[in-house]
Amino acid sequence: MSKDRSDSGRYVETVTLADVLAIFEEVEGPVVTSGDVADALECSRETARRKLGQLEDQGRVKSRQTAGRVVWWLVDEDSVNEVDPSDPIFTRTTYSSGESTDASEHVDDILYGNRSK
């Protein structure tokens, strides 16, 4: 991709995060390198690393250094478990020994069962 300039003379960003994410579909294998992204999008490796870093900050990819290279892979969105504080589990009233209690005090027991037994 050629470097475009705005009316003020500054370089315009031409590589989008969506462009980088699309490379994961094009490259064979479960991981990509900044070189893969740079080659496919005709940008510098530094631009590729910066964009991959932004995606990692957003939790959309993860990285690991191996054999002197950083490899990147997509995060399985189905495995991401975000806590929703408005979930009724946190305000549900439970009963223990006939007494009502706030479920938030026993969330682990409710979700996973009493592990101390």
Side-chain angles (χ1 to χ4, degrees):
M1 296 185 163
S2 64
K3 291 187 175 185
D4 296 327
R5 293 183 183 258
S6 67
D7 292 338
S8 66
R10 301 187 92 161
Y11 286 115
V12 176
E13 198 81 54
T14 57
V15 176
T16 67
L17 297 180
D19 293 336
V20 175
L21 286 171
I23 301 307
F24 286 89
E25 300 297 322
E26 294 176 19
V27 173
E28 186 176 335
V31 298
V32 301
T33 66
S34 58
D36 293 328
V37 173
D39 291 346
L41 297 178
E42 298 178 359
C43 66
S44 70
R45 286 178 189 241
E46 180 55 35
T47 295
R49 277 190 291 276
R50 191 168 29 83
K51 294 296 183 176
L52 287 161
Q54 289 174 335
L55 289 169
E56 187 168 30
D57 290 345
Q58 293 177 1
R60 298 170 81 182
V61 301
K62 288 193 177 194
S63 68
R64 179 174 163 253
Q65 185 158 356
T66 178
R69 288 190 178 207
V70 178
V71 293
W72 307 82
W73 64 92
L74 290 173
V75 171
D76 181 10
E77 292 182 19
D78 293 334
S79 70
V80 176
N81 295 321
E82 293 188 25
V83 175
D84 179 3
S86 65
D87 190 314
I89 190 83
F90 296 111
T91 57
R92 187 174 110 191
T93 301
T94 60
Y95 295 89
S96 177
S97 303
E99 304 253 344
S100 68
T101 61
D102 182 351
S104 66
E105 296 173 13
H106 306 285
V107 169
D108 286 342
D109 290 341
I110 294 167
L111 294 175
Y112 309 111
N114 189 344
R115 294 184 181 191
S116 62
K117 290 182 180 180

